[in-house]
Amino acid sequence: MIPHIPTIFRRWNELISQWAQHQLGVLVICLGLFAGFSLLYFPKVIEKRMYNSWTSNDKYLIEFVNSKIEHPLVAMVGKDSKEHFAKRELRITPYVIGKVFHLNAIRLFYLQVLLLPFFLFLLFNLVRKLAGGDAPMAFWATACMLFTYVGHSFVYDTLFYDSYAFVFLLLACFYYDRVWSILALILAFFVDERSLFPALNLPLLFLFQTGIPQGKWTHVIRDFLLKNRATHYLLISYSLYALIRFYLYTNFHLETPIGKQAGVQLGFAFLHGFKLPYALFSALKWAIFLPIFVFAYFIKQHIWTSAWLYFGIYLASFIAATAVDDVTRSLTFCFPIILVFFQIIHHVKEHESARVLIFLLFLANFFTPTYTLIMHLERISPFNWIY
């Protein structure tokens, strides 16, 4: 007998709605997603510890991170260190966390793995909040993003700690209309400066709370600057980040080197040729359709200023991502651009269709391979910790 897919889908959504009535139920859902994902893609750091398969590059990076945890404000440039790693010396948030909680480089990655359930819990609640309380949509969106490189970064990117930035960016998005977003943004910026561009999504999240500005572009910009509270918090975050960076540079000689020797140069990733599309696609995989729908909605409704700001955020993230070798990791920072989609769905009251769409995107992400590009293209295969 052939199962009736729509009935199964409807009953599953009803079950999710029942479980999600309380935060404990949401936590159980997210822990279940984390457990299933971890069985498929076992944390890389534990696998390396089990088989003692550290590369020479891993060992160098462990030594570098441990020295930065011990002395977060000591500059590495000019010492016996590679220029490529020297650009990480100002990304001090993970090092300060390690120092405060007495964690070394490997334990800091263990903590990153354990942050994945919290990230999923936060994402579930944020999507539900933006979508007007739609728990099934929140579930499918969370599962969909888990099987992009966003989820893989928590368990695969040994010793890079990008996922700390993802957690802080998501916290800032959750509190986009609250002053707490300032602290979350600054912490994200000091994990990696590639967080600067996706942070521009915060004012867009505020749009549907105050009404989408229309009319002449100068009036729209004025509304963004004067009426949009998220813009105020974002500008304060940028200003404080710039001041702290300047202080750290002048007093501790901490900087981020840029140039070919440091592996940062416009268009650098295009040297990989045919491998690049696989790497770019793996960042969001099929969820890339969500920002495409958002951009199309803005264009259709003639919301031109918001449309070009939205497109500019992705373009800036794309340019930053292709300026380095590890393009998959870099483009993944733009994941907050998907969040505007859920506000639009709630605004136009198309919840039922959106649930089906995101469910299909989840299936596509689940069955589509994920790749990462760091010097060479590498496929992240399920169950590779077994064989």
Side-chain angles (χ1 to χ4, degrees):
M1 183 176 180
I2 300 175
H4 192 251
I5 302 299
T7 302
I8 295 174
F9 183 68
R10 176 176 53 80
R11 289 180 178 175
W12 179 264
N13 287 340
E14 290 173 353
L15 181 63
I16 293 296
S17 297
Q18 292 174 4
W19 275 86
Q21 289 179 2
H22 305 285
Q23 288 300 310
L24 181 59
V26 176
L27 180 60
V28 171
I29 291 170
C30 295
L31 287 174
L33 286 172
F34 170 68
F37 185 77
S38 298
L39 286 174
L40 287 172
Y41 303 98
F42 198 67
K44 194 75 173 178
V45 67
I46 301 177
E47 180 187 338
K48 288 186 175 183
R49 284 295 296 269
M50 288 169 57
Y51 300 108
N52 194 26
S53 57
W54 303 105
T55 65
S56 58
N57 191 68
D58 289 333
K59 293 175 181 177
Y60 182 89
L61 191 51
I62 289 171
E63 182 182 349
F64 175 85
V65 172
N66 283 335
S67 64
K68 289 299 295 183
I69 290 172
E70 188 68 26
H71 305 288
L73 301 182
V74 174
M76 301 300 293
V77 176
K79 295 188 176 183
D80 184 21
S81 64
K82 298 178 182 177
E83 188 75 7
H84 181 73
F85 290 114
K87 68 183 180 183
R88 303 179 187 277
E89 68 176 3
L90 196 51
R91 300 171 183 175
I92 59 175
T93 297
Y95 312 140
V96 173
I97 292 174
K99 190 171 184 66
V100 169
F101 294 102
H102 306 288
L103 304 174
N104 60 23
I106 295 175
R107 289 174 181 172
L108 199 59
F109 190 83
Y110 289 156
L111 177 60
Q112 176 173 289
V113 174
L114 294 176
L115 282 175
L116 180 54
F118 174 70
F119 178 87
L120 299 176
F121 179 79
L122 197 61
L123 181 59
F124 187 106
N125 280 294
L126 177 55
V127 172
R128 181 167 61 173
K129 171 185 173 182
L130 298 177
D134 195 322
M137 189 184 302
F139 171 79
W140 294 118
T142 302
C144 179
M145 291 308 296
L146 179 60
F147 286 91
T148 66
Y149 203 79
V150 176
H152 287 290
S153 69
F154 284 85
V155 299
Y156 185 83
D157 270 338
T158 311
L159 307 172
F160 286 135
Y161 310 115
D162 295 341
S163 300
Y164 285 90
F166 299 162
V167 170
F168 291 127
L169 279 173
L170 197 60
L171 274 170
C173 291
F174 193 87
Y175 294 110
Y176 65 89
D177 56 350
R178 304 274 293 277
V179 71
W180 298 111
S181 63
I182 297 174
L183 177 60
L185 285 174
I186 293 174
L187 289 172
F189 298 160
F190 278 108
V191 175
D192 197 298
E193 53 276 2
R194 284 170 285 197
S195 302
L196 291 166
F197 296 125
L200 290 165
N201 282 281
L202 267 69
L204 288 174
L205 292 175
F206 198 80
L207 283 182
F208 294 88
Q209 184 170 325
T210 57
I212 302 175
Q214 303 277 9
K216 193 176 179 181
W217 70 270
T218 52
H219 297 160
V220 175
I221 296 296
R222 183 191 62 194
D223 287 346
F224 262 104
L225 293 176
L226 299 180
K227 298 181 180 180
N228 194 312
R229 194 157 64 243
T231 303
H232 304 160
Y233 297 149
L234 180 63
L235 292 176
I236 292 171
S237 303
Y238 281 153
S239 301
L240 290 174
Y241 174 68
L243 289 172
I244 296 170
R245 273 194 74 122
F246 180 74
Y247 174 79
L248 294 175
Y249 173 75
T250 55
N251 290 275
F252 300 97
H253 308 292
L254 296 178
E255 60 179 331
T256 304
I258 297 176
K260 191 172 183 179
Q261 187 179 2
V264 182
Q265 189 177 24
L266 286 178
F268 186 83
F270 287 95
L271 296 174
H272 290 290
F274 74 92
K275 300 176 184 177
L276 186 60
Y278 291 93
L280 292 171
F281 174 75
S282 290
L284 297 179
K285 294 170 77 171
W286 298 103
I288 191 63
F289 278 107
L290 301 183
I292 292 174
F293 291 144
V294 172
F295 185 67
Y297 173 81
F298 283 146
I299 294 296
K300 183 179 179 180
Q301 299 297 321
H302 304 290
I303 310 172
W304 301 109
T305 306
S306 299
W308 293 118
L309 172 60
Y310 191 74
F311 177 74
I313 293 170
Y314 182 79
L315 181 61
S317 300
F318 179 87
I319 292 173
T322 54
V324 292
D325 185 65
D326 46 355
V327 61
T328 310
R329 290 178 47 237
S330 299
L331 191 59
T332 304
F333 278 85
C334 78
F335 80 91
I337 65 174
I338 71 161
L339 297 172
V340 181
F341 172 83
F342 303 103
Q343 282 190 313
I344 290 177
I345 290 301
H346 182 54
H347 183 70
V348 300
K349 309 300 181 185
E350 291 286 349
H351 291 251
E352 196 67 39
S353 299
R355 286 192 209 113
V356 176
L357 170 65
I358 298 170
F359 167 68
L360 293 175
L361 292 178
F362 157 69
L363 289 180
N365 281 352
F366 181 84
F367 289 109
T368 303
T370 305
Y371 293 88
T372 182
L373 183 58
I374 303 179
M375 294 183 287
H376 62 278
L377 192 66
E378 183 175 343
R379 177 173 174 170
I380 305 175
S381 301
F383 299 117
N384 61 353
W385 55 281
I386 297 177
Y387 53 85

